[in-house]
């Protein structure tokens, strides 16, 4: 009879949990990277807007243009702040998912280690029994040869 791991069902569940946590971590990483890219794009656009308007103001602008620039600057700042908050939230989610993945992976590795140890013990026992059989056969042949 071959090796049979008694906790095979637990191993399958742990493997499934580890894969699920890995997928959740990948999704959290994706969301965080998208939010960070959006924040960087907003900052780049804001910087370009400031540079463009600085040139326009040096050339001379009206009061309405100054008001419009001020409103746009406030909107950029508000959007940047919201995106930075979102990045912070998503980073916290990513860290939580990473910790959950590490726990699930550690649980899986513990069960895999137990299985490997049991398999090694099983194979050692098989080797011991095979050696005992060979030893007994050798003794029986030696005794038979003595009688002859």
């Amino acid at each position: 009879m071959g090796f049979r791991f008694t906790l095979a069902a637990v191993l399958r569940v742990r493997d499934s949990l580890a894969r699920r946590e890995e997928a959740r971590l990948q999704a959290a990483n994706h969301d965080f990277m998208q939010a960070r890219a959006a924040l960087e794009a907003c900052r780049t656009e804001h910087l370009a807007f400031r540079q463009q308007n600085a040139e326009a103001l040096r050339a001379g602008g009206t009061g309405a243009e100054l008001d419009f620039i001020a409103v746009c600057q406030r909107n950029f700042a508000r959007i940047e702040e919201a995106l930075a908050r979102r990045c912070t939230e998503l980073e916290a989610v990513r860290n939580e998912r990473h910790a959950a993945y590490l726990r699930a992976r550690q649980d899986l590795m513990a069960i895999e280690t137990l299985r490997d140890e049991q398999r090694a013990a099983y194979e050692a026992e098989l080797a011991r029994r095979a050696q005992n059989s060979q030893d007994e056969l050798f003794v029986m042949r030696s005794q038979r040869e003595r009688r002859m």
Side-chain angles (χ1 to χ4, degrees), residues 39-55:
L39 177 60
E40 289 304 315
C42 182
R43 287 178 176 161
T44 301
E45 199 171 317
H46 188 187
L47 179 62
F49 178 79
R50 282 193 307 237
Q51 290 171 345
Q52 178 185 8
N53 287 312
E55 293 170 11

Side-chain angles (χ1 to χ4, degrees), residues 105-141:
R105 190 77 188 122
Q106 187 177 22
D107 291 346
L108 173 62
M109 289 176 66
I111 298 293
E112 287 175 338
T113 300
L114 179 62
R115 178 201 58 203
D116 295 344
E117 289 172 356
Q118 286 183 2
R119 182 187 311 270
Y122 173 80
E123 290 171 356
E125 178 64 19
L126 279 182
R128 187 188 65 75
R129 286 182 185 177
Q131 185 62 48
N132 283 346
S133 294
Q134 289 177 358
D135 291 346
E136 288 174 9
L137 183 62
F138 177 76
V139 168
M140 287 183 347
R141 283 183 183 164

Side-chain angles (χ1 to χ4, degrees), residues 12-27:
R12 284 191 302 275
V13 168
R14 294 290 183 195
D15 184 51
S16 175
L17 290 173
R19 281 187 278 116
R20 185 184 74 193
E21 290 301 330
E22 182 179 18
R24 293 177 72 193
L25 174 60
Q26 288 174 350

